[in-house]
Amino acid sequence: MGKFSKAQVIKSLKYQWGSFVEKYNSMSAEEQQQYLNLQGYARLGDLLAHIAAWWQRGMQVIMVYRRDPGFQPPNVDVDAFNAEAVASVKKLSEAEIISHFENRRFQMLELVKSLNEVDLQSERIKSQLAIEVIEHFQEHH
């Protein structure tokens, strides 16, 4: 993994992820549809549910790594995990899903801010943050 910066993750959560919905909403209806098609989701809420679900899992894994650095998280069936995330918000409005997404973003931000120097020496924690925040943004940017 490349050089890790706690500040970089905080910046991504605050500004990149923090303006994600706003940037989507600034697109024309045609651009929004093209973006969703490219991402493989039917609606913005489904994509946000996917992101929030991965953040939730990532936060759980990081918390376990803090207590047990040798923890081996179970393998995840990515397609099933993503399908479950989308199914979990099927009956929610877009506003409700956005609120859920923002709550998860804030929780992830607070977790990152709480990481101490010992935590930040853990390659596993750094890798998890890079995957969940930095790389996931690049994937959906």
Side-chain angles (χ1 to χ4, degrees):
M1 184 180 68
K3 184 175 173 165
F4 173 83
S5 163
K6 177 178 174 178
Q8 180 184 13
V9 175
I10 290 172
K11 183 178 175 182
S12 179
L13 286 164
K14 281 185 173 180
Y15 303 111
Q16 292 176 318
W17 285 114
S19 64
F20 190 79
V21 173
E22 181 183 337
K23 286 183 180 179
Y24 174 86
N25 287 334
S26 73
M27 296 179 195
S28 69
E30 183 180 324
E31 290 169 329
Q32 288 176 351
Q33 192 57 56
Q34 289 174 348
Y35 173 75
L36 290 173
N37 290 343
L38 183 64
Q39 297 299 314
Y41 289 91
R43 62 182 184 146
L44 176 64
D46 296 342
L47 174 58
L48 296 178
H50 151 84
I51 294 163
W54 282 105
W55 284 348
Q56 179 64 32
R57 181 184 181 278
M59 287 185 286
Q60 291 168 343
V61 169
I62 288 168
M63 294 306 291
V64 175
Y65 285 156
R66 290 175 95 177
R67 293 188 313 269
D68 179 6
F71 172 70
Q72 290 295 325
N75 289 333
V76 175
D77 179 331
V78 173
D79 292 336
F81 184 89
N82 289 336
E84 185 178 317
V86 170
S88 74
V89 298
K90 187 176 182 178
K91 295 181 180 180
L92 298 180
S93 70
E94 187 167 288
E96 290 170 316
I97 300 168
I98 290 170
S99 177
H100 173 71
F101 169 81
E102 286 298 322
N103 286 336
R104 286 287 181 262
R105 183 177 69 84
F106 180 76
Q107 290 170 346
M108 179 66 92
L109 182 58
E110 291 304 303
L111 173 64
V112 173
K113 287 178 178 179
S114 78
L115 297 175
N116 60 40
E117 287 307 313
V118 172
D119 298 328
L120 294 172
Q121 290 174 12
S122 166
E123 290 300 319
R124 300 177 92 196
I125 289 175
K126 292 189 298 187
S127 177
Q128 196 72 42
L129 287 172
I131 290 165
E132 303 300 348
V133 179
I134 306 298
E135 294 172 16
H136 211 175
F137 182 80
Q138 293 168 349
E139 184 181 330
H140 295 297
H141 177 247

